[in-house]
Each structure stands twice: as C-alpha cells, then as structure tokens.
Amino acid sequence: MSAGLEVVLRAERLSKSFGGLKAVQNVSFTHYAGEILAVIGPNGAGKTTLLNLLSGVYRPSSGRLELLGQDITHAPMERRCHAGLGRAFQVVRPFPEMTVLENVTVGALFGMPGTRLPEARERAYDLLERTGLADQADRAAHELTLLQDKRMEVARALATHPRVLLLDEVMAGLRPGEAAEAVELVRSVRDGGISVLFIEHIMPVVRDLADRVVVMDGGEVIATGSYREVTAHPQVVTAYLGTEEGLGA
C-alpha cells in the first residue's frame, strides 16, 4: 500500500496509561481503503487495549485518531459507529433469547439512526445470506454453534454500515476447517468494499489473510510491513521467543 490511496484510519502517537502502567505507547499506523491490516504481538503487547482505543471503549491518554479524515480521538462509541467504524468482538454476547435475525436487525437499527424496522430487517436478512446464516434466521441465538456465533457477530457488525471493520480474534476457538471458512468470510467482507483491521494470534491466518502487519510488543509498534518482512525483523523474532517456529513461519 502506498501514497495516493485513501486513508480510512490513522493513528498518531496513541498512548494509554492505567495508573503507572503504560499499556499503549506512541502507536502510529495508517490503514488504507481496501486493505486487510493485522495487528499481532505476544501476550501483553497492548493489542486489545489498542483495539479498545480505536473503537472508543477507552479514551487515549494522548495522541490522535482519524476515521475517514474526521478526528474521532475523543468521540464516544456510538459516534464512531455512525461515522463508519464497526467492531466484532472475540467473545460474542448476543441477545440469547432473540432470534438470529432479530440480533442482526438490532445492529442495523443502531448503526443507521432513523432506519425503519422493515428496512433494518431486510438488511439483516441480506447479511445473514452473505454470512451463510440465512437458514438459521429464526433460531434463538443461544442455539448456535461457535462458528455460527462468530458469523452472527460479523453480521451484526456489518449491519451498522461500517467503512472500517475491527475484528478481535474472531478465529479464537475455531477448528482448522472452521478457521478457513472464517478467513474466506473476512476476504468477502473486504471484497465488498470494507477495510478490515484484525487482531489475531494464529500466525498462519495472519500469513494468509493480511496485506500488511503491525507488530506490537510492550505497548509499542516494533515493526510494520508485509508478513514476510515483519517475520524476518530481528525485534519481532526476539519478541516471539527467538524462533521461526514461534512465528508460525
């Protein structure tokens, strides 16, 4: 990715401290339109804190964040959502007694204020078809398998009309075949015109899916580039216990 492409998300020296703990320190990166960008790092690297800063769960101690050229550094979560930022969480928390269709309809109603219920339901059903869940539309959410849960979480996030979608370890807990299906789902999201930023610890998934990779350690960015570039970076090798096997190379 290079100059001339549209920047959809830009972080400039984002930092977050919790008392004396510096969880994220001076993190800067640029996310381009149509790009699948991975954020990786060992446990405690600050990845989830960064995602919470991007989505508005936390406010930064310092730094700046732009979405589609708009300053959202201190914007609440709902404003970020309405401006085009969606998020799917690692731990899915649906409305368990509501149907799958109703859960995704809630996302459509929240993401586009003023949307009428019939329109929201139509969008929700379209997204269930897109994510392979149309045949589960009338089932209660608590009856879904883990893979179906993950698909519903992505559908709920897509229902908010994002331009940028944040994914928090959506492959966690999936079997290899299920993870392969999830990879294809993420690719289809990007192919539909939505830029994707994802956190992941399964390195073969990162290798196969990411256009570029941001590597964090100790709350800081230590490398940015293609998968091949970052996995050859000496600091990255050290962060992953000093072995190529640790990187899943």
Side-chain angles (χ1 to χ4, degrees):
M1 298 291 172
S2 60
L5 295 178
E6 179 189 9
V7 175
V8 292
L9 192 64
R10 188 194 306 275
E12 297 178 351
R13 301 182 64 82
L14 279 182
S15 297
K16 180 63 179 179
S17 297
F18 299 95
L21 173 65
K22 296 180 178 179
V24 168
Q25 302 183 64
N26 296 322
V27 167
S28 298
F29 67 86
T30 302
H31 188 191
Y32 296 100
E35 180 179 47
I36 299 178
L37 181 67
V39 178
I40 68 171
N43 290 338
K47 304 183 300 295
T48 297
T49 300
L50 175 62
L51 208 67
N52 285 333
L53 289 172
L54 300 180
S55 62
V57 175
Y58 300 147
R59 304 291 176 86
S61 303
S62 61
R64 177 182 173 89
L65 181 65
E66 291 184 1
L67 174 67
L68 302 170
Q70 179 182 355
D71 185 351
I72 60 166
T73 309
H74 301 290
M77 293 178 68
E78 63 271 18
R79 183 182 150 202
R80 295 175 194 225
C81 177
H82 298 157
L85 188 66
R87 179 175 178 178
F89 289 83
Q90 176 184 356
V91 179
V92 182
R93 293 187 175 89
F95 300 103
E97 301 303 325
M98 294 172 61
T99 68
V100 175
L101 179 62
E102 288 168 342
N103 269 272
V104 180
T105 299
V106 169
L109 290 169
F110 177 78
M112 295 292 288
T115 301
R116 300 179 66 181
L117 181 58
E119 297 169 337
R121 286 177 62 86
E122 182 178 0
R123 174 165 178 78
Y125 190 80
D126 287 345
L127 287 167
L128 292 182
E129 288 189 319
R130 183 173 170 187
T131 54
L133 286 176
D135 60 344
Q136 306 296 320
D138 295 325
R139 291 186 67 185
H142 69 82
E143 298 177 349
L144 297 183
T145 66
L146 179 60
L147 177 59
Q148 290 169 338
D149 261 342
K150 302 276 188 177
R151 287 178 175 273
M152 183 181 67
E153 180 70 359
V154 172
R156 286 201 301 181
L158 292 175
T160 65
H161 291 265
R163 288 281 307 279
V164 179
L165 179 62
L166 309 178
L167 301 177
D168 187 0
E169 295 199 34
V170 295
M171 312 295 173
L174 298 181
R175 297 187 293 269
E178 294 172 331
E181 289 184 41
V183 165
E184 290 307 312
L185 175 59
V186 175
R187 286 198 181 114
S188 74
V189 169
R190 186 270 301 277
D191 293 345
I194 298 171
S195 306
V196 177
L197 184 153
F198 73 104
I199 289 177
E200 188 51 69
H201 71 278
I202 304 173
M203 298 307 292
V205 169
V206 176
R207 179 194 61 211
D208 294 344
L209 192 55
D211 296 310
R212 283 191 308 130
V213 182
V214 175
V215 187
M216 295 184 65
D217 189 31
E220 300 179 297
V221 173
I222 60 172
T224 302
S226 69
Y227 181 85
R228 183 180 295 275
E229 288 168 342
V230 299
T231 54
H233 193 289
Q235 240 182 312
V236 176
V237 173
T238 299
Y240 279 91
L241 305 180
T243 65
E244 290 187 354
E245 287 78 8
L247 285 165

